[in-house]
Amino acid sequence: MLIFSRFKNCFKFPFKIVRTFASQTDDGLLKTPLYDLHLSHGATMVPYAGHSMPMTYAEQSHIESHNWVRQSVGIFDVSHMCQHVFAGQNATKFLEQITPSDLIELEPSRWKLSALMLRTGGILGDTIIAKLGQDGYYIVTNAACKDRDLTFLRFLLESLPGSVDNEVLAGWGLISVQGPKAAILLAKLTDDNLSNLKFGRTAFANFGGNSHFVSRSGYTGEDRFEISLPPAHTLHFTEQLLNRVPVTRLIGLAARNSFRLEAGLCLYGNDIDETTTPVDASLRFIVGKRRLAESGFNGFDTPASTGRREKDGKTEIGRITSGCPSPTLGYNIAMGYVSAINNSDKKKLSSGDNVLIEIRDVKRPAKITKMPFVKPKYYR
């Protein structure tokens, strides 16, 4: 029995899973369901997380793509992410073991940001968890370490035989529609009232007679809808979006990265990894109050690191983990880790302080600032 079908009574529209596996390019990279569409729009394809993904598109620079989404609406193909459904009487217990989130407190039809935690306290990968019903969850895990995450999950699932079911939606599409006109665009394809779907909520919505799982979030800092689609529906759905007014464009990885930096969001492998705790990464908010009091999740007793390290006889006060020119702000921005104390004069460092960043042996002036760099515009 397919897992999603167990929750059809929780929503207005039933949902059915079709098992399909992604095809590959000649060099062994996986294709998303929109691979041919990307090529037809002149995409520059690059290897990313084991997939062939669009970086930019013909006659559309990175900056133009970025600004377009800020002003209108764009479509991001994020089908390289790994989509799961977990269900069963011990599904909540299992997920609370490997994440610090309070999933009992999480209401059905809501989602939250979380992380897969190692027993060492490090982050195996960031994740989104949406509650479908009493014992059912839709989860999106990181693409960059998909095989490792799956091995981790399967190993732990074996310790609870028969009590937790896991369905991986292999080959499914995941389309992100983002920008201030995103809601206007999607409203043209559904009779459902998406204005009731606020930030942090999920629903099944009817698009042309087909029911699709939709969440409202904001990886760019702009209004964002994410739609999970069976492989057979992904291309047609996306083409419908492209052929509607307001005019939309396909947007590649280059703009996706500059958006997430402006929003102050971590990229796994750059800003967070197995050596990083949620406290290190200023992600304490993903740890539920009840979970912190009761403990019991992987890594709950691991202290945060100091953020300082020795290099060539000097003590660094921090390190940059990712950075880029900000198209919205017009200057360079970067994310990194800065120690609370400058060892040279014992001065406490805080937002607004000036520092030097060493880039290729050249010291450049910078200022510590709070994130996000660009104020988000979520629909609440």
PDB file of all heavy atoms in Angstrom, residues 53-72:
ATOM      1  N   MET A  53      22.116  20.158 -14.026  1.00  0.00           N
ATOM      2  CA  MET A  53      21.223  21.227 -13.623  1.00  0.00           C
ATOM      3  C   MET A  53      21.542  22.526 -14.360  1.00  0.00           C
ATOM      4  O   MET A  53      22.692  22.774 -14.735  1.00  0.00           O
ATOM      5  CB  MET A  53      21.334  21.470 -12.115  1.00  0.00           C
ATOM      6  CG  MET A  53      20.923  20.281 -11.256  1.00  0.00           C
ATOM      7  SD  MET A  53      19.177  19.885 -11.399  1.00  0.00           S
ATOM      8  CE  MET A  53      18.434  21.307 -10.593  1.00  0.00           C
ATOM      9  N   PRO A  54      20.537  23.397 -14.573  1.00  0.00           N
ATOM     10  CA  PRO A  54      20.766  24.660 -15.290  1.00  0.00           C
ATOM     11  C   PRO A  54      21.431  25.705 -14.389  1.00  0.00           C
ATOM     12  O   PRO A  54      20.979  25.939 -13.269  1.00  0.00           O
ATOM     13  CB  PRO A  54      19.350  25.104 -15.671  1.00  0.00           C
ATOM     14  CG  PRO A  54      18.482  24.520 -14.585  1.00  0.00           C
ATOM     15  CD  PRO A  54      19.116  23.210 -14.210  1.00  0.00           C
ATOM     16  N   MET A  55      22.495  26.309 -14.885  1.00  0.00           N
ATOM     17  CA  MET A  55      23.156  27.390 -14.144  1.00  0.00           C
ATOM     18  C   MET A  55      22.567  28.733 -14.554  1.00  0.00           C
ATOM     19  O   MET A  55      22.156  29.529 -13.717  1.00  0.00           O
ATOM     20  CB  MET A  55      24.657  27.352 -14.403  1.00  0.00           C
ATOM     21  CG  MET A  55      25.447  28.465 -13.699  1.00  0.00           C
ATOM     22  SD  MET A  55      25.355  28.387 -11.900  1.00  0.00           S
ATOM     23  CE  MET A  55      26.388  26.948 -11.586  1.00  0.00           C
ATOM     24  N   THR A  56      22.534  28.998 -15.858  1.00  0.00           N
ATOM     25  CA  THR A  56      21.925  30.209 -16.418  1.00  0.00           C
ATOM     26  C   THR A  56      21.237  29.825 -17.727  1.00  0.00           C
ATOM     27  O   THR A  56      21.365  28.688 -18.195  1.00  0.00           O
ATOM     28  CB  THR A  56      22.976  31.304 -16.696  1.00  0.00           C
ATOM     29  OG1 THR A  56      23.999  30.757 -17.555  1.00  0.00           O
ATOM     30  CG2 THR A  56      23.610  31.811 -15.410  1.00  0.00           C
ATOM     31  N   TYR A  57      20.525  30.780 -18.322  1.00  0.00           N
ATOM     32  CA  TYR A  57      19.817  30.541 -19.579  1.00  0.00           C
ATOM     33  C   TYR A  57      20.253  31.555 -20.629  1.00  0.00           C
ATOM     34  O   TYR A  57      20.729  32.650 -20.298  1.00  0.00           O
ATOM     35  CB  TYR A  57      18.297  30.622 -19.372  1.00  0.00           C
ATOM     36  CG  TYR A  57      17.760  29.519 -18.502  1.00  0.00           C
ATOM     37  CD1 TYR A  57      17.719  29.656 -17.117  1.00  0.00           C
ATOM     38  CD2 TYR A  57      17.303  28.323 -19.048  1.00  0.00           C
ATOM     39  CE1 TYR A  57      17.236  28.642 -16.301  1.00  0.00           C
ATOM     40  CE2 TYR A  57      16.824  27.304 -18.246  1.00  0.00           C
ATOM     41  CZ  TYR A  57      16.793  27.460 -16.868  1.00  0.00           C
ATOM     42  OH  TYR A  57      16.318  26.447 -16.076  1.00  0.00           O
ATOM     43  N   ALA A  58      20.069  31.175 -21.889  1.00  0.00           N
ATOM     44  CA  ALA A  58      20.470  32.041 -23.001  1.00  0.00           C
ATOM     45  C   ALA A  58      19.764  33.387 -22.926  1.00  0.00           C
ATOM     46  O   ALA A  58      18.580  33.471 -22.562  1.00  0.00           O
ATOM     47  CB  ALA A  58      20.149  31.360 -24.337  1.00  0.00           C
ATOM     48  N   GLU A  59      20.509  34.459 -23.250  1.00  0.00           N
ATOM     49  CA  GLU A  59      19.988  35.827 -23.287  1.00  0.00           C
ATOM     50  C   GLU A  59      19.419  36.254 -21.929  1.00  0.00           C
ATOM     51  O   GLU A  59      18.487  37.072 -21.868  1.00  0.00           O
ATOM     52  CB  GLU A  59      18.927  35.956 -24.387  1.00  0.00           C
ATOM     53  CG  GLU A  59      19.461  35.636 -25.781  1.00  0.00           C
ATOM     54  CD  GLU A  59      18.397  35.768 -26.851  1.00  0.00           C
ATOM     55  OE1 GLU A  59      17.249  36.109 -26.507  1.00  0.00           O
ATOM     56  OE2 GLU A  59      18.722  35.533 -28.026  1.00  0.00           O
ATOM     57  N   GLN A  60      19.957  35.691 -20.855  1.00  0.00           N
ATOM     58  CA  GLN A  60      19.474  36.020 -19.527  1.00  0.00           C
ATOM     59  C   GLN A  60      20.624  35.808 -18.546  1.00  0.00           C
ATOM     60  O   GLN A  60      20.917  34.685 -18.158  1.00  0.00           O
ATOM     61  CB  GLN A  60      18.296  35.111 -19.163  1.00  0.00           C
ATOM     62  CG  GLN A  60      17.621  35.432 -17.851  1.00  0.00           C
ATOM     63  CD  GLN A  60      16.448  34.485 -17.599  1.00  0.00           C
ATOM     64  OE1 GLN A  60      15.750  34.090 -18.504  1.00  0.00           O
ATOM     65  NE2 GLN A  60      16.246  34.117 -16.352  1.00  0.00           N
ATOM     66  N   SER A  61      21.273  36.881 -18.154  1.00  0.00           N
ATOM     67  CA  SER A  61      22.408  36.756 -17.248  1.00  0.00           C
ATOM     68  C   SER A  61      21.941  36.409 -15.839  1.00  0.00           C
ATOM     69  O   SER A  61      20.747  36.502 -15.512  1.00  0.00           O
ATOM     70  CB  SER A  61      23.198  38.065 -17.205  1.00  0.00           C
ATOM     71  OG  SER A  61      22.452  39.073 -16.531  1.00  0.00           O
ATOM     72  N   HIS A  62      22.897  36.034 -15.011  1.00  0.00           N
ATOM     73  CA  HIS A  62      22.608  35.761 -13.605  1.00  0.00           C
ATOM     74  C   HIS A  62      21.926  36.960 -12.937  1.00  0.00           C
ATOM     75  O   HIS A  62      20.911  36.813 -12.237  1.00  0.00           O
ATOM     76  CB  HIS A  62      23.929  35.408 -12.893  1.00  0.00           C
ATOM     77  CG  HIS A  62      23.868  35.523 -11.404  1.00  0.00           C
ATOM     78  ND1 HIS A  62      24.943  35.944 -10.653  1.00  0.00           N
ATOM     79  CD2 HIS A  62      22.865  35.313 -10.509  1.00  0.00           C
ATOM     80  CE1 HIS A  62      24.614  35.960  -9.383  1.00  0.00           C
ATOM     81  NE2 HIS A  62      23.362  35.593  -9.257  1.00  0.00           N
ATOM     82  N   ILE A  63      22.467  38.153 -13.164  1.00  0.00           N
ATOM     83  CA  ILE A  63      21.911  39.355 -12.535  1.00  0.00           C
ATOM     84  C   ILE A  63      20.501  39.631 -13.046  1.00  0.00           C
ATOM     85  O   ILE A  63      19.593  39.977 -12.271  1.00  0.00           O
ATOM     86  CB  ILE A  63      22.814  40.581 -12.796  1.00  0.00           C
ATOM     87  CG1 ILE A  63      24.238  40.305 -12.306  1.00  0.00           C
ATOM     88  CG2 ILE A  63      22.242  41.820 -12.121  1.00  0.00           C
ATOM     89  CD1 ILE A  63      24.340  39.997 -10.834  1.00  0.00           C
ATOM     90  N   GLU A  64      20.289  39.469 -14.354  1.00  0.00           N
ATOM     91  CA  GLU A  64      18.950  39.682 -14.920  1.00  0.00           C
ATOM     92  C   GLU A  64      17.944  38.686 -14.339  1.00  0.00           C
ATOM     93  O   GLU A  64      16.802  39.055 -14.038  1.00  0.00           O
ATOM     94  CB  GLU A  64      19.007  39.555 -16.437  1.00  0.00           C
ATOM     95  CG  GLU A  64      19.736  40.702 -17.109  1.00  0.00           C
ATOM     96  CD  GLU A  64      19.977  40.455 -18.583  1.00  0.00           C
ATOM     97  OE1 GLU A  64      20.020  39.269 -18.994  1.00  0.00           O
ATOM     98  OE2 GLU A  64      20.133  41.443 -19.330  1.00  0.00           O
ATOM     99  N   SER A  65      18.372  37.429 -14.182  1.00  0.00           N
ATOM    100  CA  SER A  65      17.484  36.420 -13.599  1.00  0.00           C
ATOM    101  C   SER A  65      17.125  36.783 -12.160  1.00  0.00           C
ATOM    102  O   SER A  65      15.960  36.697 -11.747  1.00  0.00           O
ATOM    103  CB  SER A  65      18.166  35.048 -13.619  1.00  0.00           C
ATOM    104  OG  SER A  65      18.372  34.598 -14.933  1.00  0.00           O
ATOM    105  N   HIS A  66      18.128  37.180 -11.404  1.00  0.00           N
ATOM    106  CA  HIS A  66      17.926  37.556 -10.000  1.00  0.00           C
ATOM    107  C   HIS A  66      16.934  38.717  -9.886  1.00  0.00           C
ATOM    108  O   HIS A  66      15.963  38.654  -9.118  1.00  0.00           O
ATOM    109  CB  HIS A  66      19.283  37.939  -9.396  1.00  0.00           C
ATOM    110  CG  HIS A  66      19.236  38.219  -7.936  1.00  0.00           C
ATOM    111  ND1 HIS A  66      19.764  37.356  -6.990  1.00  0.00           N
ATOM    112  CD2 HIS A  66      18.739  39.270  -7.229  1.00  0.00           C
ATOM    113  CE1 HIS A  66      19.581  37.860  -5.784  1.00  0.00           C
ATOM    114  NE2 HIS A  66      18.974  39.025  -5.900  1.00  0.00           N
ATOM    115  N   ASN A  67      17.173  39.764 -10.658  1.00  0.00           N
ATOM    116  CA  ASN A  67      16.307  40.944 -10.589  1.00  0.00           C
ATOM    117  C   ASN A  67      14.897  40.654 -11.085  1.00  0.00           C
ATOM    118  O   ASN A  67      13.919  41.237 -10.599  1.00  0.00           O
ATOM    119  CB  ASN A  67      16.931  42.094 -11.389  1.00  0.00           C
ATOM    120  CG  ASN A  67      18.197  42.621 -10.735  1.00  0.00           C
ATOM    121  OD1 ASN A  67      18.383  42.474  -9.527  1.00  0.00           O
ATOM    122  ND2 ASN A  67      19.069  43.227 -11.518  1.00  0.00           N
ATOM    123  N   TRP A  68      14.787  39.749 -12.061  1.00  0.00           N
ATOM    124  CA  TRP A  68      13.471  39.388 -12.584  1.00  0.00           C
ATOM    125  C   TRP A  68      12.596  38.781 -11.480  1.00  0.00           C
ATOM    126  O   TRP A  68      11.422  39.123 -11.331  1.00  0.00           O
ATOM    127  CB  TRP A  68      13.601  38.414 -13.748  1.00  0.00           C
ATOM    128  CG  TRP A  68      12.275  38.012 -14.316  1.00  0.00           C
ATOM    129  CD1 TRP A  68      11.517  36.933 -13.980  1.00  0.00           C
ATOM    130  CD2 TRP A  68      11.522  38.728 -15.313  1.00  0.00           C
ATOM    131  NE1 TRP A  68      10.349  36.907 -14.699  1.00  0.00           N
ATOM    132  CE2 TRP A  68      10.327  37.988 -15.524  1.00  0.00           C
ATOM    133  CE3 TRP A  68      11.744  39.891 -16.041  1.00  0.00           C
ATOM    134  CZ2 TRP A  68       9.367  38.412 -16.438  1.00  0.00           C
ATOM    135  CZ3 TRP A  68      10.773  40.288 -16.958  1.00  0.00           C
ATOM    136  CH2 TRP A  68       9.606  39.559 -17.148  1.00  0.00           C
ATOM    137  N   VAL A  69      13.169  37.872 -10.687  1.00  0.00           N
ATOM    138  CA  VAL A  69      12.410  37.233  -9.619  1.00  0.00           C
ATOM    139  C   VAL A  69      12.033  38.251  -8.546  1.00  0.00           C
ATOM    140  O   VAL A  69      10.920  38.205  -8.001  1.00  0.00           O
ATOM    141  CB  VAL A  69      13.209  36.063  -9.012  1.00  0.00           C
ATOM    142  CG1 VAL A  69      12.471  35.466  -7.811  1.00  0.00           C
ATOM    143  CG2 VAL A  69      13.449  34.991 -10.062  1.00  0.00           C
ATOM    144  N   ARG A  70      12.918  39.197  -8.251  1.00  0.00           N
ATOM    145  CA  ARG A  70      12.597  40.234  -7.266  1.00  0.00           C
ATOM    146  C   ARG A  70      11.419  41.099  -7.723  1.00  0.00           C
ATOM    147  O   ARG A  70      10.639  41.589  -6.907  1.00  0.00           O
ATOM    148  CB  ARG A  70      13.816  41.132  -7.041  1.00  0.00           C
ATOM    149  CG  ARG A  70      14.948  40.500  -6.251  1.00  0.00           C
ATOM    150  CD  ARG A  70      14.587  40.299  -4.808  1.00  0.00           C
ATOM    151  NE  ARG A  70      15.731  39.907  -3.996  1.00  0.00           N
ATOM    152  CZ  ARG A  70      15.652  39.129  -2.934  1.00  0.00           C
ATOM    153  NH1 ARG A  70      14.481  38.635  -2.550  1.00  0.00           N
ATOM    154  NH2 ARG A  70      16.735  38.828  -2.232  1.00  0.00           N
ATOM    155  N   GLN A  71      11.274  41.256  -9.036  1.00  0.00           N
ATOM    156  CA  GLN A  71      10.243  42.152  -9.572  1.00  0.00           C
ATOM    157  C   GLN A  71       8.982  41.421 -10.017  1.00  0.00           C
ATOM    158  O   GLN A  71       7.899  42.004 -10.015  1.00  0.00           O
ATOM    159  CB  GLN A  71      10.806  42.926 -10.766  1.00  0.00           C
ATOM    160  CG  GLN A  71      11.993  43.808 -10.412  1.00  0.00           C
ATOM    161  CD  GLN A  71      12.784  44.244 -11.634  1.00  0.00           C
ATOM    162  OE1 GLN A  71      12.363  44.008 -12.771  1.00  0.00           O
ATOM    163  NE2 GLN A  71      13.929  44.864 -11.413  1.00  0.00           N
ATOM    164  N   SER A  72       9.109  40.134 -10.413  1.00  0.00           N
ATOM    165  CA  SER A  72       7.980  39.438 -11.014  1.00  0.00           C
ATOM    166  C   SER A  72       7.852  38.023 -10.456  1.00  0.00           C
ATOM    167  O   SER A  72       7.492  37.834  -9.306  1.00  0.00           O
ATOM    168  CB  SER A  72       8.127  39.422 -12.539  1.00  0.00           C
ATOM    169  OG  SER A  72       6.986  38.858 -13.146  1.00  0.00           O
TER     170      SER A  72
END
